[in-house]
Amino acid sequence: MRYRAVLLVSGLLLLAACGTTTQSSDPSASQSPDMDLLLTAEDFPPGYEVVQAKSDVGRAQQQAVDGRAYQPPECAALFANQARYTKESRRSGINAVDPDQPSFPRYSNTIIRQAEPIPHRREVVNRCGDNTATIPGQGTMAMATQQIAAPGDVKADDTLVFTFSTTFQPDPGSNALRSQRRTVIGYADLPGLQIEFYEQVDGFGSEADMTSFNRLISSAVRQASTVQ
């Protein structure tokens, strides 16, 4: 499989600091044996290209959290704690995009070692899944979250799946545009590792393709279970 760097953000960063992106490649990621635990281009719809995800997102996540004011205020500490978990984890991942169809869903599949425990992720979603972040000099980002059940054929020690929308409202006088993004993201624990998989679409009125998400997260868990 051929990998190349791309400007895409991890699902973890999406929750704690939605709207932030990271860039540059990580040459060591393609050498990780965990890359064999990930989905390949053949698993995604025709036209999708598989690209290497950046593995070191903890610093960008921390910077984004530090630069925002949250309501409820307690979310700042919870998101900062998430960023610490991210910095201490080891991540190997891919993203799948259709370069000719930017409105199509984007997918991400990541293997995480030393991951944030799913019970802590669940606590963050329960307490701060609905929040508003003020981004100085830019605008506000409102998030609304709903937990959903994992597909029945996902076999894991623990799972967490939720959908969320983020709506950006620019400050008056800003050149930025109002925008909305919808994401469905799932985590599954296997012995010694955690699987993160998400699907993301942009645009008001857009909806995640739950049929594709359910099929692909099931395949991602099955792939990691079979290979490891």
Side-chain angles (χ1 to χ4, degrees):
M1 186 193 321
R2 186 171 72 92
Y3 299 100
R4 60 186 173 85
V6 69
L7 304 183
L8 281 173
V9 63
S10 81
L12 266 177
L13 188 53
L14 283 167
L15 179 58
C18 52
T20 301
T21 57
T22 58
Q23 101 177 42
S24 83
S25 62
D26 182 355
S28 65
S30 60
Q31 301 168 9
S32 168
D34 283 345
M35 298 303 283
D36 293 334
L37 306 182
L38 299 166
L39 298 180
T40 66
E42 289 71 27
D43 296 298
F44 295 95
Y48 274 73
E49 294 183 5
V50 169
V51 298
Q52 180 181 317
K54 182 169 172 56
S55 61
D56 182 15
V57 298
R59 182 178 302 177
Q61 183 177 346
Q62 184 69 63
Q63 290 174 343
V65 171
D66 290 344
R68 301 181 181 191
Y70 291 93
Q71 289 293 334
E74 66 177 332
C75 297
L78 284 170
F79 289 155
N81 198 26
Q82 273 201 321
R84 285 190 289 272
Y85 275 116
T86 304
K87 287 189 289 186
E88 294 169 0
S89 68
R90 293 184 291 116
R91 305 168 63 88
S92 301
I94 58 95
N95 296 285
V97 297
D98 186 330
D100 297 323
Q101 300 289 344
S103 64
F104 281 18
R106 300 176 294 279
Y107 300 98
S108 177
N109 178 201
T110 304
I111 299 296
I112 311 173
R113 304 279 183 177
Q114 299 172 312
E116 177 184 0
I118 283 182
H120 186 268
R121 294 189 190 279
R122 189 174 290 114
E123 178 188 11
V124 174
V125 172
N126 287 338
R127 294 172 63 183
C128 289
D130 295 339
N131 73 82
T132 300
T134 299
I135 309 168
Q138 298 183 44
T140 58
M141 187 82 73
M143 175 180 286
T145 302
Q146 179 181 7
Q147 291 189 55
I148 59 176
D153 57 349
V154 169
K155 307 302 180 184
D157 296 333
D158 195 5
T159 60
L160 173 65
V161 182
F162 55 96
T163 66
F164 65 93
S165 65
T166 53
T167 303
F168 176 71
Q169 181 65 48
D171 285 338
S174 171
N175 292 326
L177 298 176
R178 189 167 179 262
S179 61
Q180 188 172 84
R181 173 172 293 173
R182 294 186 181 275
T183 304
V184 54
I185 185 166
Y187 296 93
D189 274 348
L190 296 178
L193 62 86
Q194 188 177 96
I195 299 160
E196 174 190 272
F197 188 87
Y198 73 77
E199 175 187 324
Q200 184 182 87
V201 291
D202 289 332
F204 287 93
S206 61
E207 295 290 343
D209 184 341
M210 294 304 302
T211 300
S212 291
F213 173 83
N214 289 338
R215 177 181 66 82
L216 288 166
I217 191 173
S218 298
S219 297
V221 174
R222 190 162 49 249
Q223 170 71 6
S225 302
T226 302
V227 176
Q228 74 164 333

